[in-house]
Amino acid sequence: MHLFSLLWFCRAVFYVAMLTSCYMAFGPADIGLQPHLNDKLLHATGFFGAAILAHFAHPRAPHYRHIIGLACFGLLIELVQAYLPHRSFSLLDWGADILGVLIYFIFFSTFMSRFVPKGKALPD
């Protein structure tokens, strides 16, 4: 697959995952995996996965942009949930989101950088 096509595929996967995250976050909490697993673990692993996808989707962006962007996304989700009748705002959930992102960028991003599409002609 051409490098530019691979990059656009990675971006499509990332943004579809973000839309899917919103769908899951704004729906009733009693569906899916949420009633069966630890909520904070789901937040941390979900945002760990989002960090991987963000890294692959925007390989030339500095890590701090990914961290800030995903932290803002997590906060936005919590703010929307504050206004939903079947959800609630939680700083602990947001903290778990940030923890998942930080774990990826502190401990795993260097290893994963080997697999991230690279090239000088890639757009940011």
Side-chain angles (χ1 to χ4, degrees):
M1 186 181 282
H2 187 267
L3 187 59
F4 194 71
S5 299
L6 179 61
L7 177 69
W8 282 103
F9 174 75
C10 291
R11 287 185 178 173
V13 170
F14 172 67
Y15 290 109
V16 167
M18 296 300 96
L19 288 173
T20 303
S21 297
C22 288
Y23 175 78
M24 292 172 58
F26 303 149
D30 58 349
I31 60 172
L33 291 173
Q34 293 170 346
H36 306 291
L37 295 174
N38 181 298
D39 181 50
K40 303 309 175 257
L41 179 63
L42 286 174
H43 278 268
T45 56
F47 273 77
F48 180 88
I52 294 170
L53 295 175
H55 192 190
F56 274 72
H58 298 282
R60 296 186 59 189
H63 293 336
Y64 75 88
R65 283 192 191 169
H66 294 301
I67 293 166
I68 292 170
L70 289 170
C72 289
F73 179 71
L75 180 60
L76 179 67
I77 286 174
E78 292 302 322
L79 291 172
V80 170
Q81 286 181 343
Y83 294 98
L84 297 175
H86 51 275
R87 292 293 192 145
S88 61
F89 178 89
S90 171
L91 282 176
L92 291 176
D93 287 352
W94 186 44
D97 298 344
I98 294 170
L99 180 64
V101 173
L102 289 175
I103 288 172
Y104 173 74
F105 282 108
I106 291 171
F107 298 109
F108 295 96
S109 64
T110 303
F111 171 75
M112 292 299 286
S113 290
R114 298 179 197 178
F115 306 105
V116 172
K118 293 178 183 68
K120 293 183 181 176
L122 290 178
D124 220 7

